[in-house]
């Protein structure tokens, strides 16, 4: 059977031409037409640079070196001149693709220069325009019911400080006052209770919330993140393991979710009895690093209700899901509730890290949640521009549309190659599909890369899609055709992968 999506190919120039260098409105006016591969990846130049950097740093995780000057829109150019359709975007962190004209313009705007040159210690000496800067950027897309935001540097730093905010809130509640006893102030200096209380955060198996010490205690996706690092005795609940497509397995999935919720409640009770009460529950709306594991709105609403019932804060980690990839600013908006969380953390596509929070989660004193930079206003300036482009070009609708095309194509491919692909799933362009095992998945990823498409793995055997918000339907077709070619090659061989 001929693969139907092939007919949707955008007419394109197969050479290495790009359309225009001028700064224009939409990404298709300035980006390249298609991938263009000159060497296997990594090529000789990347290998040479890896050797050079290896004299200075650990390079074991480096894939290849990039030429960011030449990269445009959805296409990343490497140091050997290979041009790849980038569906991974620096681990889901490039909202508008590479070298977007709107961001180039923001950088060269003389009014912005001082924000780029003078990085302030925001917690003590913010620039005059900081309230406006926050209002125009982060607050303009604040989740429902949240009018406060705390900026931070990276995702881990955001979660780490959000945990502290939850602990402070919890202790003030327990104590019934914001004033600590002399016993608390002296014991905290030597890491002892009651000043350093035995509180806990409940997280889910398969979660990823960062690699700093507190966050790592709530991260349970891969051994390599955890090994040899001391951790806290905090409760870990099972995250639902659902069958996809979700619409077809409603009853089984609901049972699985009920099992996990029951376990959450048991753990909260158990940890209270152990003397380590759960101050907060943290969850991703879609477990990303752990394998793109979805759960229903019903699951999350019930989880929030459990948190409320037991007096725990509810923290939604949108570091990877936030910023538009699911077709809404925030993935949790798909739950359809007006009271989604007490804390929502972000980073990646939001360019600055940080967290939104309800007013009661703000500590009563300065310096309780604090560090030198507390974010970077120049990143918020860029974010304002990103949000302008998203609104002007209706990119959330575009993401919904191109995501549907991508997912439909993945459904077709998994029915055509059931021995290689299964469990296609996604929301917007935040999609994934499973290979039979990790070895096949990794081989597929390398083969696809040599054909000019960059993708990532997640979980045990999943391939994940994390394109920029400027990923259009024709990019989806471009990818699906390349993927089909790679899979067809496998089909014609004698059952072994290349
Ligand atoms: O291997 C790593 O350290 C990776 S690979 C992808 C991530 C980290 N994602 C970061 C992340 C995240 O996906 C979620 C849901 N929460 C927190 C984080 C931590 O963000 P960073 O990496 O900025 O500290």
């Amino acid at each position: 059977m001929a693969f139907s999506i092939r007919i949707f190919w955008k007419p394109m120039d197969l050479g290495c031409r790009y359309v225009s260098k001028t700064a224009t409105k939409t990404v298709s006016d300035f980006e390249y037409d298609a991938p263009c591969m000159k060497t296997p990846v990594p090529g000789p130049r990347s290998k040479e640079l890896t050797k050079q950097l290896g004299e200075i740093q650990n390079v074991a995780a480096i894939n290849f070196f990039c030429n960011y000057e030449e990269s445009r829109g959805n296409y990343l150019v490497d140091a050997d001149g290979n041009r790849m359709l980038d569906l991974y975007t620096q681990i889901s962190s490039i909202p508008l693709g590479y070298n977007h004209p709107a961001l180039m313009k923001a950088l060269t705007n003389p009014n912005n220069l001082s924000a780029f040159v003078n990085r302030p210690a925001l917690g003590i000496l913010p620039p005059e325009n900081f309230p406006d800067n926050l209002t125009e950027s982060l607050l303009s897309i604040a989740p429902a019911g949240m009018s406060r935001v705390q900026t931070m540097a990276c995702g881990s730093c955001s979660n780490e400080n959000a945990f502290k905010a939850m602990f402070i809130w919890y202790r003030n509640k327990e104590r019934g006052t914001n004033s600590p006893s002399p016993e608390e102030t002296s014991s905290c200096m030597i890491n002892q209770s009651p000043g350093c209380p035995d509180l806990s955060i409940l997280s889910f198996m398969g979660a990823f919330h960062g690699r700093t010490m507190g966050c790592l205690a709530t991260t349970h996706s891969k051994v390599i993140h955890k090994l040899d690092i001391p951790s806290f005795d905090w409760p870990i609940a099972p995250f639902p393991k659902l069958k996809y497509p979700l619409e077809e397995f409603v009853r089984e999935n609901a049972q699985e979710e009920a099992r996990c919720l029951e376990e959450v409640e048991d753990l909260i009770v158990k940890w209270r009895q152990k003397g380590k009460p759960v101050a907060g529950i943290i969850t991703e709306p879609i477990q990303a690093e752990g394998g793109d594991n979805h759960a229903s709105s019903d699951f999350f609403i019930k989880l929030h209700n459990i948190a409320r019932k037991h007096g725990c804060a509810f923290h939604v980690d949108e570091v990877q899901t936030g910023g538009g990839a699911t077709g809404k600013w925030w993935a949790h908006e798909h739950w359809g509730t007006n009271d989604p969380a007490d804390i929502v953390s972000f980073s990646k596509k939001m360019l600055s890290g940080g967290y939104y929070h309800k007013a009661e989660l703000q500590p009563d004193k300065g310096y309780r949640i604090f560090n030198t930079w507390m974010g970077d206003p120049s990143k918020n300036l860029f974010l304002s521009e990103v949000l302008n482009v998203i609104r002007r070009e209706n990119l959330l609708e575009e993401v919904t549309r191109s995501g549907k095309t991508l997912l439909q194509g993945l459904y077709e491919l998994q029915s055509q190659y059931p021995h290689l692909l299964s469990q296609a799933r996604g929301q917007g362009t935040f999609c994934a599909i499973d290979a039979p095992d990790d070895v096949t998945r990794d081989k597929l990823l390398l083969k696809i890369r040599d054909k000019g498409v960059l993708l990532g793995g997640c979980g045990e055997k999943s391939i994940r899609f994390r394109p920029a918000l400027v990923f259009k339907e024709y990019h989806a077709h471009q990818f699906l055709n390349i993927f089909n070619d790679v899979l067809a090659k496998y089909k014609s061989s004698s059952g072994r992968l290349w």
Side-chain angles (χ1 to χ4, degrees):
M1 186 182 79
F3 192 54
S4 58
I5 55 179
R6 182 167 291 278
I7 57 170
F8 292 110
W9 258 113
K10 180 185 180 248
M12 66 168 203
D13 180 347
L14 287 171
C16 295
R17 180 180 71 90
Y18 63 86
V19 176
S20 161
K21 260 189 179 165
T22 52
T24 44
K25 206 178 92 179
T26 67
V27 75
S28 41
D29 292 330
F30 79 97
E31 76 168 10
Y32 301 97
D33 279 2
C36 177
M37 302 303 287
K38 295 177 173 168
T39 72
V41 181
R45 177 80 180 128
S46 263
K47 284 187 179 155
E48 193 184 299
L49 289 165
T50 306
K51 199 163 155 240
Q52 193 185 339
L53 187 63
E55 307 287 328
I56 306 166
Q57 290 187 349
N58 187 336
V59 288
I62 285 184
N63 295 199
F64 54 85
F65 280 76
C66 301
N67 181 339
Y68 289 109
E69 288 80 7
E70 288 300 317
S71 302
R72 305 256 186 285
N74 291 278
Y75 297 91
L76 176 64
V77 176
D78 78 0
D80 289 275
N82 297 302
R83 183 205 302 154
M84 289 163 260
L85 177 64
D86 187 357
L87 305 192
Y88 197 43
T89 60
Q90 315 289 328
I91 327 181
S92 200
S93 300
I94 310 281
L96 301 179
Y98 297 100
N99 289 310
H100 195 284
L103 299 188
M104 299 299 235
K105 211 167 143 195
L107 187 67
T108 51
N109 180 344
N111 297 335
N112 292 342
L113 279 185
S114 103
F116 291 113
V117 173
N118 304 295
R119 187 170 186 180
L122 275 174
I124 49 171
L125 298 167
E128 284 181 79
N129 64 1
F130 194 50
D132 286 343
N133 168 299
L134 286 178
T135 307
E136 281 162 26
S137 57
L138 290 164
L139 284 181
S140 77
I141 56 165
M146 289 184 172
S147 56
R148 306 193 73 83
V149 67
Q150 178 58 64
T151 51
M152 285 289 160
C154 66
S156 300
C157 182
S158 308
N159 285 340
E160 197 78 32
N161 282 286
F163 291 0
K164 288 169 64 179
M166 295 196 283
F167 289 136
I168 293 168
W169 164 82
Y170 193 89
R171 274 301 291 146
N172 282 340
K173 219 166 42 123
E174 269 190 334
R175 213 193 257 125
T177 157
N178 293 346
S179 307
S181 65
E183 203 192 346
E184 284 175 300
T185 52
S186 58
S187 58
C188 77
M189 295 306 289
I190 51 167
N191 302 353
Q192 301 293 316
S193 71
C196 293
D198 252 337
L199 298 176
S200 60
I201 304 275
L202 182 142
S203 55
F204 286 93
M205 208 58 206
F208 187 99
H209 298 296
R211 290 172 179 258
T212 51
M213 297 285 285
C215 293
L216 194 56
T218 61
T219 286
H220 319 282
S221 48
K222 280 193 194 139
V223 171
I224 196 155
H225 304 145
K226 307 271 293 177
L227 188 68
D228 296 335
I229 321 286
S231 198
F232 295 111
D233 174 26
W234 290 355
I236 308 158
F239 194 79
K241 285 189 169 33
L242 303 187
K243 289 189 185 151
Y244 306 93
L246 297 177
E247 315 82 73
E248 278 178 32
F249 298 96
V250 173
R251 202 173 41 83
E252 290 108 299
N253 287 346
Q255 272 171 10
E256 167 64 357
E257 290 184 338
R259 176 187 78 85
C260 295
L261 289 170
E262 206 171 297
E263 186 79 14
V264 167
E265 241 183 315
D266 285 354
L267 287 167
I268 292 174
V269 171
K270 224 181 255 170
W271 254 254
R272 184 178 299 135
Q273 285 164 356
K274 273 211 229 185
K276 301 177 180 183
V278 175
I281 296 179
I282 183 166
T283 186
E284 296 154 88
I286 302 168
Q287 274 194 346
E289 295 306 303
D292 274 32
N293 306 316
H294 292 243
S296 71
S297 305
D298 187 54
F299 172 80
F300 290 110
I301 290 167
K302 285 181 175 154
L303 183 63
H304 189 188
N305 285 339
I306 291 173
R308 250 193 226 109
K309 175 176 159 192
H310 292 276
C312 323
F314 187 51
H315 175 169
V316 178
D317 178 349
E318 292 252 22
V319 167
Q320 192 153 163
T321 47
T326 67
K328 293 189 186 283
W329 295 118
W330 305 105
H332 73 249
E333 291 178 273
H334 291 280
W335 303 345
T337 157
N338 279 331
D339 183 21
D342 299 301
I343 291 204
V344 173
S345 52
F346 55 81
S347 189
K348 293 195 185 266
K349 276 199 262 308
M350 301 297 286
L351 305 180
S352 161
Y355 60 91
Y356 300 99
H357 60 91
K358 290 204 175 137
E360 59 265 35
L361 267 292
Q362 174 166 300
D364 54 309
K365 295 185 181 59
Y367 289 113
R368 295 206 78 181
I369 301 288
F370 190 88
N371 60 38
T372 307
W373 278 329
M374 307 258 280
D376 179 348
S378 71
K379 298 294 180 197
N380 304 337
L381 275 180
F382 276 137
L383 179 64
S384 294
E385 278 312 311
V386 167
L387 300 181
N388 284 341
V389 174
I390 294 176
R391 290 181 180 120
R392 197 166 62 217
E393 299 182 13
N394 293 321
L395 291 185
L396 296 186
E397 282 168 35
E398 193 85 52
V399 160
T400 306
R401 194 161 40 240
S402 51
K404 265 192 192 131
T405 303
L406 175 62
L407 191 56
Q408 187 53 40
L410 293 176
Y411 284 144
E412 286 180 35
L413 287 173
Q414 80 179 10
S415 68
Q416 225 175 322
Y417 304 99
H419 56 304
L420 281 179
L421 298 175
S422 65
Q423 308 278 352
R425 56 202 180 273
Q427 210 163 39
T429 55
F430 202 101
C431 293
I433 194 160
D434 285 0
D437 51 62
D438 58 339
V439 176
T440 312
R441 187 265 313 271
D442 294 346
K443 278 185 181 171
L444 276 170
L445 288 176
L446 289 180
K447 198 72 191 170
I448 296 167
R449 189 171 76 184
D450 276 341
K451 297 281 178 202
V453 178
L454 260 187
L455 281 168
C458 65
E460 195 194 325
K461 55 185 181 182
S462 304
I463 294 172
R464 69 172 138 172
F465 299 83
R466 298 290 187 270
L469 306 175
V470 290
F471 176 81
K472 314 275 183 192
E473 279 184 288
Y474 76 81
H475 297 111
H477 293 306
Q478 199 169 74
F479 157 71
L480 289 165
N481 282 310
I482 292 171
F483 199 19
N484 186 41
D485 288 347
V486 169
L487 295 162
K489 218 177 207 167
Y490 169 78
K491 209 176 158 194
S492 63
S493 75
S494 57
R496 284 189 60 80
L497 209 51
W498 306 288

